[in-house]
Amino acid sequence: METPENQPVRKRNGKQVSFEYKLFVIQQINNGQISLNYASKKYDISKSTIEYWMKKLTNYEQTNKGISKDDEIRTLKSKIEDLEGVKAFQQELIIEFESVTGEELSKKYLPEWLANEIQRKKKKLLK
């Protein structure tokens, strides 16, 4: 490719890095493992370049997910139901443990609201 004599040619001084490498650096920053400044020094990449990657790849990640709000809400509701089931199971185990040992450890070690909830369940079971 030829350029006219009087116009400067723009040089590329940057390194070629893979897409996966860019994602790796950005994920470390987004997860709070390292700061943008530290990533810039550690990987010898300018902050503006990393910010550019973040801007471009954030759009990529959003379009790549492709999940609608309704689907996301449905998924979250399902996870809540699962966690409620686990919570109920754990509370039943605590009640059983306290009845076997005779100690009320829930009042001592758990938050007050949770200990009260366990006590209410225990009273229902005793009726």
Side-chain angles (χ1 to χ4, degrees), residues 108-122:
K108 190 174 182 181
Y109 293 107
L110 295 176
E112 186 179 342
W113 65 270
L114 190 55
N116 291 339
E117 192 173 317
I118 291 172
Q119 294 303 318
R120 282 192 299 272
K121 283 189 176 186
K122 192 185 289 186

Side-chain angles (χ1 to χ4, degrees), residues 5-44:
E5 295 274 334
N6 57 357
Q7 291 190 359
V9 176
R10 183 170 174 218
K11 283 179 136 182
R12 284 186 57 178
N13 294 332
K15 302 178 226 172
Q16 288 286 340
V17 294
S18 69
F19 180 74
E20 290 79 20
Y21 184 76
K22 293 175 185 179
L23 282 177
F24 170 74
V25 173
I26 291 171
Q27 285 173 346
Q28 283 190 317
I29 295 169
N30 288 341
N31 293 340
Q33 294 171 329
I34 59 175
S35 68
L36 177 63
N37 288 335
Y38 184 75
S40 175
K41 291 175 187 171
K42 181 178 180 181
Y43 299 115
D44 193 28

Side-chain angles (χ1 to χ4, degrees), residues 19-77:
F19 180 74
E20 290 79 20
Y21 184 76
K22 293 175 185 179
L23 282 177
F24 170 74
V25 173
I26 291 171
Q27 285 173 346
Q28 283 190 317
I29 295 169
N30 288 341
N31 293 340
Q33 294 171 329
I34 59 175
S35 68
L36 177 63
N37 288 335
Y38 184 75
S40 175
K41 291 175 187 171
K42 181 178 180 181
Y43 299 115
D44 193 28
I45 303 167
S46 72
K47 288 193 316 185
S48 62
T49 299
I50 295 173
E51 288 170 342
Y52 176 77
W53 292 351
M54 290 173 81
K55 180 181 175 186
K56 291 294 181 184
L57 295 177
T58 302
N59 291 338
Y60 166 78
E61 288 174 354
Q62 287 174 352
T63 56
N64 196 20
K65 284 183 183 176
I67 186 168
S68 70
K69 288 198 184 261
D70 291 338
D71 290 339
E72 187 176 6
I73 290 170
R74 222 175 282 118
T75 302
L76 291 172
K77 283 182 178 179

Side-chain angles (χ1 to χ4, degrees), residues 87-97 121 125:
K87 178 182 158 193
F89 176 72
Q90 289 173 338
Q91 288 177 344
E92 290 172 11
L93 283 176
I94 291 170
I95 291 169
E96 184 67 27
F97 178 80
K121 283 189 176 186
L125 289 175

